[in-house]
Amino acid sequence: MIIDDEKLQRTLERAKSHTDSEVTGILEKAKQLKGITLEEAAVLLNVTDKNLLQKIFDAAKYVKEAIYGNRIVLFAPLYISNICTNECVYCAFRRSNTHLKRHASTMDEINQEVTALLKQGHKRILMVAGEAYPGGGLQYVYDSIKAIYDTRWNGQNIRRVNVNIAPLTEPEFEELKKCHIGTYQLFQETYHKETYEKLHIAGAKKDYQFRLDAMDRALQAGINDVGIGPLLGLYDHKYEILATLEHAAYLDKTYGVGPHTISIPRIEPADGSDFSQHPNDVLSTEEFKTCVAVLRLAVPYTGIILSTRETPQTRNECLELGVSQISAASRVNPGGYSYDKQNGSQFTLTDERTTDQVIEAIVDAKHMPSFCTGCYRLGRVGKDFMDMAKPGLIKTHCLPNAMFTFAEYLYDFAPEGLKNKGLKLIAETTQANFAEGTPIRKMIDKNLQKIKAGKRDLYF
């Protein structure tokens, strides 16, 4: 793939001139759930009028709920190592940072970490590692995934492991697929090549094109679902959003499978990195929210991921803008959930809420927390998933499965006050969305009764 820098710059320049009616027309088109063009996305990114911005935000919420319903998927990142051979000026893991306490978790330590997450109610993990591995080989990664899946606590287990690791060769991706991962996630960081080369000054990550082509190799190797994203703050955020959309469109056109997820992290201070304290582009909260909303309108089928880099208030607000997946109670260092909270973190966390507190905020906003992994396990992945997501059919599975997994959480983990709130939300959601006497309503009522009686891991 090639990112056409001149094309993106021209598109952004032209989009500075637009009319209110043009914006309104773009939003009406977006509500048809077919996406919008690069030029139209650029126009929306340049809107500053508060009334028009609110219309953009409202449209993003409409599109997200038309595709996925009101469910919000929860997950936790699991950092297994902070050892890295790269020199990325914005990252605490960079190899020259001698102040950082380095560690790679053993399999027993991974078991401890996963157990700690299971005790919080988590069922989905994003495994993350610095771009170097003990012994120099990928077997450590493969063994770590197996250790996560093998961990059991009180009848609980992790049902799906997604991974965020260094870009691989096609044969290596074929081996990774054998580990039964969910989504392979990799951020380009910045799509602006000149900036990329200035910020990645040593190590394998210095190769811009090898990283950009990683998703091609992953999909060619049989990985079903991939996740992309920029790190906002490294270059102009409007350019990065357009480039992300270009990448998404290329994958969809070339493979018939667009990105399963798009993450939208914003740079946060990192240990010993002056650049992270003074990034190239400082977004306002309003600009960040606009980025979230435009991604949802342009790529309606994708899952949009928001991390704990953002404040609780911003995260709560973004629930109304098209975000569909969020992390909860994150730790971004190996051992952070259990055995060693002093190991060096990749960046500074901003949302320190517990999993219970994050879930309660979701419930209070009338969204449905979800720990669902049903699509992965039933083979609704890759093109099969896209065929259901693009026309908005996937929500007929998402909402019931969300309610089943949330009910499990409420009975097994939630404090009494949250349990009562959550069960009330499930009852209200069922009543509002599924007519009594229909086959799907009968199935939902039956499964919810089974879960109350102690049955677990129900999905369809």
Side-chain angles (χ1 to χ4, degrees):
M1 180 189 179
I2 302 295
I3 296 293
D4 189 337
D5 178 72
E6 290 185 3
K7 172 188 172 183
L8 296 184
Q9 300 288 9
R10 286 196 307 269
T11 301
L12 283 171
E13 187 61 32
R14 286 196 298 266
K16 291 178 180 178
S17 299
H18 57 264
T19 63
D20 291 3
S21 60
E22 184 180 2
V23 173
T24 301
I26 293 170
L27 297 180
E28 288 304 312
K29 176 185 176 181
K31 289 180 182 179
Q32 298 174 22
L33 311 183
K34 303 295 185 184
I36 57 177
T37 67
L38 200 69
E39 291 75 17
E40 290 165 339
V43 168
L44 298 186
L45 287 168
N46 277 285
V47 170
T48 56
D49 178 83
K50 289 188 176 181
N51 291 330
L52 286 177
L53 281 174
Q54 189 57 53
K55 289 183 178 181
I56 293 173
F57 298 160
D58 291 344
K61 181 177 182 179
Y62 172 87
V63 169
K64 184 266 177 181
E65 295 194 352
I67 297 288
Y68 288 115
N70 69 336
R71 70 98 167 102
I72 301 291
V73 172
L74 289 132
F75 72 95
L78 176 61
Y79 280 68
I80 59 171
S81 169
N82 61 6
I83 300 170
C84 195
T85 59
N86 294 317
E87 189 64 30
C88 310
V89 302
Y90 52 84
C91 182
F93 288 0
R94 69 197 181 284
R95 71 187 189 192
S96 66
N97 187 7
T98 57
H99 301 289
L100 192 78
K101 183 181 178 183
R102 307 279 181 173
H103 184 73
S105 300
T106 66
M107 298 306 113
D108 286 343
E109 289 169 340
I110 288 173
N111 179 274
Q112 291 180 51
E113 288 281 87
V114 175
T115 299
L117 288 170
L118 290 172
K119 289 179 178 179
Q120 295 182 30
H122 281 291
K123 298 293 187 293
R124 300 165 62 113
I125 276 178
L126 172 64
M127 192 190 81
V128 186
E131 297 192 4
Y133 313 113
L138 284 165
Q139 191 60 46
Y140 174 73
V141 170
Y142 308 146
D143 291 345
S144 298
I145 296 169
K146 183 177 187 301
I148 294 170
Y149 277 131
D150 285 349
T151 299
R152 297 290 186 275
W153 172 81
N154 197 28
Q156 308 285 337
N157 64 284
I158 296 299
R159 297 172 184 169
R160 186 53 51 183
V161 180
N162 301 324
V163 298
N164 184 321
I165 59 171
L168 307 178
T169 64
E170 191 172 330
E172 290 169 340
F173 275 122
E174 290 173 355
E175 289 301 308
L176 183 64
K177 180 179 172 61
K178 295 176 184 177
C179 296
H180 306 291
I181 67 164
T183 302
Y184 171 71
Q185 182 190 87
L186 183 73
F187 303 155
Q188 186 64 22
E189 316 292 17
T190 174
Y191 285 93
H192 189 249
K193 188 174 182 181
E194 181 181 345
T195 300
Y196 185 99
E197 291 171 349
K198 290 179 180 178
L199 299 181
H200 304 91
I201 56 180
K205 194 170 176 178
K206 186 174 174 61
D207 190 334
Y208 172 94
Q209 197 63 43
F210 185 75
R211 193 172 188 89
L212 184 60
D213 292 339
M215 296 312 177
D216 293 78
R217 297 191 299 275
L219 291 165
Q220 290 164 7
I223 298 290
N224 293 304
D225 296 312
V226 297
I228 63 175
L231 176 57
L232 298 183
L234 304 189
Y235 187 64
D236 174 45
H237 63 278
K238 296 176 185 177
Y239 179 100
E240 301 289 12
I241 296 300
L242 291 192
T244 301
L245 296 179
E246 280 280 79
H247 197 180
Y250 163 81
L251 294 175
D252 196 14
K253 180 179 179 180
T254 306
Y255 302 100
V257 180
H260 191 73
T261 60
I262 295 178
S263 298
I264 186 166
R266 182 161 47 158
I267 194 168
E268 286 293 321
D271 176 66
S273 168
D274 181 68
F275 179 90
S276 69
Q277 304 280 352
H278 307 93
N280 287 333
D281 184 34
V282 180
L283 291 77
S284 68
T285 299
E286 206 75 355
E287 288 172 327
F288 179 76
K289 290 164 61 178
T290 303
C291 290
V292 174
V294 171
L295 282 175
R296 172 54 66 206
L297 296 172
V299 197
Y301 60 80
T302 198
I304 296 181
I305 300 177
L306 190 63
S307 77
T308 46
R309 290 171 181 262
E310 299 301 324
T311 65
Q313 180 177 344
T314 299
R315 298 226 300 164
N316 290 344
E317 291 173 1
C318 285
L319 294 178
E320 309 301 324
L321 305 178
V323 164
S324 55
Q325 298 187 29
I326 64 172
S327 52
S330 301
R331 296 294 178 266
V332 291
N333 61 299
Y337 297 107
S338 61
Y339 66 85
D340 191 346
K341 299 185 179 182
Q342 301 306 310
N343 287 327
S345 295
Q346 187 178 29
F347 54 85
T348 302
L349 292 169
T350 307
D351 186 351
E352 296 277 7
R353 291 176 296 175
T354 66
T355 299
D356 288 343
Q357 290 170 333
V358 171
I359 289 175
E360 186 157 17
I362 295 172
V363 171
D364 288 344
K366 299 300 181 182
H367 294 284
M368 182 62 63
S370 174
F371 297 89
C372 177
T373 58
C375 283
Y376 294 116
R377 298 154 81 198
L378 288 170
R380 287 194 298 259
V381 294
K383 192 174 185 303
D384 289 338
F385 176 87
M386 294 294 170
D387 287 344
M388 295 189 72
K390 288 179 179 179
L393 300 176
I394 196 67
K395 72 177 180 182
T396 61
H397 296 270
C398 286
L399 191 51
N401 285 340
M403 292 193 293
F404 300 154
T405 57
F406 186 39
E408 284 187 27
Y409 167 84
L410 294 172
Y411 288 119
D412 293 343
F413 300 99
E416 195 64 22
L418 177 54
K419 178 181 176 182
N420 293 335
K421 277 186 181 182
L423 291 175
K424 181 181 178 184
L425 177 63
I426 290 174
E428 292 172 347
T429 302
T430 302
Q431 190 68 33
N433 291 275
F434 305 98
E436 290 189 34
T438 58
I440 192 170
R441 174 63 180 271
K442 290 178 180 178
M443 181 274 293
I444 290 170
D445 290 342
K446 184 177 180 180
N447 279 358
L448 288 172
Q449 285 301 314
K450 286 181 179 179
I451 292 167
K452 184 177 181 180
K455 185 71 174 176
R456 295 293 178 265
D457 203 12
L458 301 176
Y459 53 91
F460 85 108

